[in-house]
Amino acid sequence: MRAAVLGLGAVGGFGCGVGDLENAVQNSIPSTRLVDMETIHGVLEVPGVTASVSPLEHKIAKRFLRRSTRFMQLAILGSLLALEDTGEQDGALEGRTGIILGTGYGATCNTLNFQALSPRDESSNISPTSFSHSVDNVAAASIAALLEKNTPNITINHFDMSVPLAFMTALSWLQSGRVDNVLVGCVDEFSKISAYHQSTFKGDGSGAQQCGIGVGEGSVFFVLAPEKGSEISYGHIREARTCAWSASAPEPENDCVYFWDHGFQASNTETLLRDSLGHAPSASYLGLYGYLPVGLGFALAIAALSRKNDWVYPSVEERGGHWGLQGHEPLDGRRIRCLRPGLAGEWGTVLLEP
Amino acid sequence: MKRFSPVAISGVGCLTALGHDLDQCMEAMFRGERNCGPPTRLSNPVSLDYPVFEVSPDFSSAQDREGSSGVRSVQLALTAVEEALRDARLSGPELQNRRVGICLGATVTGSLKHEGIPEAQGANKPEYLTPEQRFLLTSPVLGIANQYRASGPLQTIVTACSAGSDAIGLAAQWIQSGMCDLVLTGGVEELYEITYNGFVSLMNCDTRPCRPFDASRNGLNLGEGAGLLVLESEQALGQRGGRAKAFVWGYGNSSDAYHLTSPSPEGQGLRGAILEALEVSGVGPERIGFINAHGTGTLDNDALEASMFREIFPETPFFSTKGYTGHTLAAAGGIEAAFTVSCLERHHLPPSGGFSTPDPELPASPIQSSLKVRADFALSQTLAFGGINSVLVLGGEKEA
């Protein structure tokens, strides 16, 4: 079973929409900047790759915006951009559209989670609205409400493996005929607590200011449908899976280019993966979207653009200097395997084919 | 839509405020026990007026296990897994040569959770833990995977109150696709001050023990616990000479697309989830022998469910177990699936917890006394924040 990628929507530090992402990757424009962050220890300046959700003001009613959080807005914007990108009128898709969302930090990234660093303890004074917005499936539910989709709807939060798991579920749903198409999204907010750690504890060698990677945020959505045999410029997703390193290591594939997404530091799994793949052609674009648990979704979006333009772009990565492919080269019909080494000894992958 | 190939349930484990294993829970339900009281473990509750169903503190040896993170959700999950594996007659080492996946519904984990971690880790302040460290320490899925060295896919579903049912439905698909030989699946939830204070803020908690579907119902009580199933492929089960206790016959999930905290009064999402589960199972509504309802005790939830039962299952007995366990949120789907399997095996349904007076406004009422039923199939359904509805069709026989 292969799923055709019919549409793509992305918002992040690089801008808003496929055009902005394409421009950033073609011109190797890093997106990291310094972000002010208020904490009980005062204002900190931390490296970040933050997104703007202001384009949403032109897409949905103001009352809907007022009642939504940044997490929801990132998700809604990404989903609307992906639907627009399909070229269907008003982004309307025919048939049953499933909604699957993967997130690593979830809806509480900067609210309840941040209470330990916040000037006030919010846990004993939670408003009904903030509580209902703290549930991780709030973004996928809001998208369903906006699109009026009474269809299967799932949210997965398994930190850095959420993206391959979301695509794995999407392929399964399409294969079983539960849905006619799927909107798969990957969303994370800028994590203040992560930025705080990277800033405060840089002395241990893992700090973002030392390695240059900003804490990222953004949203990337894909519209998938079963393959119908026609030419699809973004390509087709052949497989998505997660594996325990102890059970299965990847074998180098001659017809593949590897797009990496990873963390601030090379985990043991990453080191093992790199050793396993040897000198296979690899690229990383972390400098465009920053470090975030759902970064693999952005790597896959860049893979879809590479597929469309038949080019592999130079790496935009700032962890300890540049790494991977340094110049443009033709893709030449090769497949792109997007890889994410996981924290817990897993690795996740999504494979994109012509 | 393709038919769902039934997936064997070879073991079940469960713990709630009723007891520390499935049999204890079932026996306590048949006795009508309701062990609820003011919260005792919350560090900063906004009020003590709203009773909860807490699991008693002496629940498990998992609390003392070497390498355990000391996080309650992980301990609850490990305790239920131990029972489920025992029930399936599987030992830990036997899992290591199989493709074992873990798929759980949970809410109080990962980036949200920090209570209990500093003490467990000897740190002074929670801010010294990164989101990555929190995830590694607090994920029940990772806790189980580390304990049993699971080598298959690991997944946490966060669809709030339907997460446990969704996890089971998705896990069954892992078996059907051949991805796994065995999946440990269900849901887990611990009582936590943010969810307690949050539900109090929504003003849908009862100050008395909850009374789902009753004329006097006035809200829910929160609970905690875990419900775990062992799902196995036919081949894996056959190879080891194991026995299926029941089967997952169907799964449906559908969104209301209506409101974040209130169910759609027309019930489009719930109806869609029920009809999908029935369609993929190939089981008509007349063959459903009983329904384990979501039945929280809130006005809107119970009215919607009663209306849907009247419409689709006019003659089918139903009950809610939340009057015995409280609303265990992400664990509810796992715990109630475990109860449903036990009811199928016992051919006996407990009286609906907390129900005594039919509500004249509702078109259907649950069973008031225990009921002997020989059912081939049953429904277990959960409704969640965000308007997500999930329904499982469970059955006792492979040949329908």
Side-chain angles (χ1 to χ4, degrees):
Chain A
M1 161 78 199
R2 300 202 314 166
V5 180
L6 302 183
L8 182 60
V11 56
F14 48 82
C16 178
V18 169
D20 283 355
L21 179 59
E22 200 164 8
N23 180 54
V25 72
Q26 281 175 345
N27 296 295
S28 302
I29 305 168
S31 309
T32 304
R33 63 190 183 85
L34 288 176
V35 177
D36 283 350
M37 197 175 85
E38 192 181 344
T39 75
I40 48 174
H41 308 303
V43 175
L44 295 179
E45 263 194 345
V46 296
V49 184
T50 52
S52 167
V53 291
S54 58
L56 200 54
E57 292 167 12
H58 308 294
K59 295 182 184 294
I60 62 170
K62 283 205 168 88
R63 63 179 173 79
F64 205 99
L65 267 179
R66 274 200 307 273
R67 293 175 188 167
S68 57
T69 61
R70 183 171 178 79
F71 180 68
M72 294 157 74
Q73 290 170 6
L74 283 167
I76 291 168
L77 181 55
S79 66
L80 294 179
L81 289 168
L83 290 169
E84 286 170 13
D85 192 50
T86 61
E88 298 290 332
Q89 195 169 7
D90 298 330
L93 291 171
E94 284 188 8
R96 279 166 62 81
T97 304
I99 297 170
I100 301 171
L101 191 137
T103 177
Y105 294 136
T108 59
C109 178
N110 289 320
T111 50
L112 307 174
N113 183 36
F114 198 54
Q115 60 191 299
L117 292 175
S118 173
R120 61 193 181 281
D121 181 355
E122 298 172 355
S123 63
S124 61
N125 188 28
I126 297 169
S127 79
T129 305
S130 69
F131 178 60
S132 62
H133 288 171
S134 76
V135 181
D136 277 352
N137 70 353
V138 67
S142 300
I143 293 167
L146 193 67
L147 303 178
E148 299 179 346
K149 296 288 184 188
N150 298 119
T151 50
N153 189 305
I154 283 287
T155 303
I156 296 164
N157 182 344
H158 201 75
F159 206 69
D160 48 12
M161 292 295 108
S162 299
V163 174
L165 291 166
F167 279 92
M168 200 167 94
T169 303
L171 291 175
S172 165
W173 285 10
L174 291 171
Q175 174 129 34
S176 68
R178 280 192 87 184
V179 293
D180 300 303
N181 42 63
V182 193
L183 194 52
V184 186
C186 319
V187 187
D188 268 321
E189 277 187 79
F190 174 82
S191 165
K192 292 177 185 172
I193 202 157
S194 194
Y196 172 83
H197 278 275
Q198 292 307 317
S199 173
T200 308
F201 298 108
K202 62 183 183 291
D204 69 358
S206 65
Q209 287 177 341
Q210 284 194 340
C211 69
I213 296 173
V215 173
E217 77 169 349
S219 155
V220 57
F221 274 73
F222 301 79
V223 179
L224 305 183
E227 178 180 22
K228 293 205 172 102
S230 51
E231 180 74 16
I232 297 292
S233 61
Y234 289 138
H236 296 85
I237 291 177
R238 160 65 73 183
E239 70 163 13
R241 63 193 163 103
T242 62
C243 304
W245 174 262
S246 58
S248 170
E251 294 289 330
E253 298 153 290
N254 291 333
D255 63 342
C256 272
V257 179
Y258 293 86
F259 281 13
W260 289 79
D261 175 63
H262 50 69
F264 290 114
Q265 292 177 283
S267 63
N268 289 340
T269 312
E270 181 181 338
T271 306
L272 292 165
L273 277 173
R274 288 194 193 281
D275 289 347
S276 167
L277 294 174
H279 298 290
S282 300
S284 168
Y285 304 96
L286 209 64
L288 290 183
Y289 54 84
Y291 166 71
L292 69 171
V294 297
L296 189 70
F298 291 91
L300 182 61
I302 294 166
L305 292 174
S306 293
R307 172 79 269 131
K308 186 183 88 167
N309 299 323
D310 201 29
W311 276 106
V312 184
Y313 301 102
S315 291
V316 187
E317 134 130 7
E318 300 168 37
R319 190 178 71 190
H322 285 287
W323 168 89
L325 295 174
Q326 298 300 307
H328 292 72
E329 67 173 52
L331 184 59
D332 277 345
R334 286 175 292 178
R335 305 186 297 170
I336 302 173
R337 185 174 285 287
C338 299
L339 281 171
R340 170 85 188 208
L343 281 174
E346 301 166 86
W347 55 281
T349 180
V350 183
L351 178 62
L352 189 77
E353 295 183 337
Chain B
M1 212 177 298
K2 287 183 189 165
R3 277 279 294 271
F4 211 81
S5 173
V7 173
I9 301 168
S10 59
V12 181
C14 168
L15 74 161
T16 69
L18 288 167
H20 297 166
D21 62 35
L22 180 58
D23 278 344
Q24 281 183 22
C25 291
M26 293 303 295
E27 294 305 320
M29 270 197 285
F30 283 106
R31 290 193 301 270
E33 284 181 21
R34 281 148 65 81
N35 304 321
C36 71
T40 63
R41 295 182 36 260
L42 305 182
S43 59
N44 196 16
V46 69
S47 160
L48 293 174
D49 292 342
Y50 302 94
V52 295
F53 288 79
E54 290 179 345
V55 174
S56 59
D58 55 338
F59 64 85
S60 171
S61 59
Q63 292 169 89
D64 307 319
R65 186 178 288 112
E66 194 177 341
S68 169
S69 65
V71 171
R72 190 170 175 86
S73 292
V74 178
Q75 293 167 345
L76 291 168
L78 280 171
T79 305
V81 166
E82 281 175 10
E83 184 195 356
L85 290 174
R86 234 180 6 253
D87 190 39
R89 300 176 192 281
L90 278 164
S91 66
E94 282 179 279
L95 299 184
Q96 287 165 27
N97 297 322
R98 294 163 185 263
R99 293 171 301 163
V100 175
I102 303 171
C103 183
L104 292 189
T107 57
V108 184
T109 62
S111 57
L112 173 60
K113 170 71 181 163
H114 70 235
E115 268 196 345
I117 301 175
E119 294 79 7
Q121 296 304 302
N124 293 321
K125 293 181 179 178
E127 61 261 39
Y128 294 131
L129 290 174
T130 65
E132 290 79 2
Q133 289 169 318
R134 288 169 193 235
F135 170 69
L136 292 172
L137 285 167
T138 63
S139 163
V141 170
L142 294 185
I144 298 169
N146 292 337
Q147 184 69 35
Y148 294 101
R149 298 182 192 172
S151 59
L154 311 176
Q155 178 165 262
T156 311
I157 300 296
V158 290
T159 45
C161 312
S162 68
S165 302
D166 286 323
I168 293 168
L170 296 175
Q173 290 171 338
W174 289 1
I175 298 282
Q176 289 166 337
S177 70
M179 190 190 306
C180 295
D181 303 316
L182 184 151
V183 186
L184 301 170
T185 184
V188 60
E189 186 79 44
E190 68 174 277
L191 278 163
Y192 182 46
E193 69 179 45
I194 287 174
T195 45
Y196 178 85
N197 292 346
F199 272 96
V200 170
S201 78
L202 288 172
M203 294 191 289
N204 62 2
C205 291
D206 201 331
T207 53
R208 296 165 53 201
C210 64
R211 300 167 302 285
F213 299 106
D214 193 86
S216 69
R217 71 188 186 281
N218 193 33
L220 57 80
N221 309 136
L222 288 175
E224 64 177 353
L228 266 291
L229 308 182
V230 180
L231 304 187
E232 272 190 271
S233 70
E234 202 167 345
Q235 191 181 13
L237 198 61
Q239 278 174 352
R240 70 178 184 88
R243 185 186 77 84
K245 299 167 70 71
F247 293 85
V248 180
W249 275 83
Y251 160 61
N253 162 304
S254 186
S255 172
D256 279 347
Y258 174 71
H259 191 271
L260 288 181
T261 54
S262 298
S264 156
E266 283 78 39
Q268 302 98 314
L270 180 56
R271 185 182 296 104
I274 291 172
L275 295 180
E276 185 190 10
L278 292 174
E279 183 182 345
V280 299
S281 66
V283 173
E286 71 287 351
R287 298 183 68 194
I288 298 295
F290 65 88
I291 300 167
N292 190 342
H294 190 54
T296 58
T298 62
L299 295 176
D300 290 346
N301 176 88
D302 295 1
L304 170 65
E305 284 197 287
S307 159
M308 204 56 60
F309 296 151
R310 178 72 181 169
E311 175 188 323
I312 304 176
F313 306 98
E315 306 297 330
T316 309
F318 69 92
F319 59 94
S320 166
T321 56
K322 290 191 175 66
Y324 302 112
T325 63
H327 188 351
T328 58
L329 306 178
I335 289 169
E336 290 162 23
F339 290 165
T340 303
V341 169
S342 184
C343 289
L344 283 164
E345 288 188 313
R346 291 164 180 253
H347 310 296
H348 199 186
L349 314 182
S352 195
F355 175 75
S356 59
T357 309
D359 181 348
E361 300 289 317
L362 299 186
S365 290
I367 55 175
Q368 198 166 345
S369 314
S370 67
L371 184 67
K372 295 277 187 187
V373 171
R374 291 200 74 87
D376 292 329
F377 301 100
L379 222 66
S380 181
Q381 67 183 33
T382 45
L383 286 69
F385 263 27
I388 310 299
N389 307 271
S390 299
V391 175
L392 295 168
V393 175
L394 304 173
E397 300 292 337
K398 180 69 188 291
E399 300 303 324

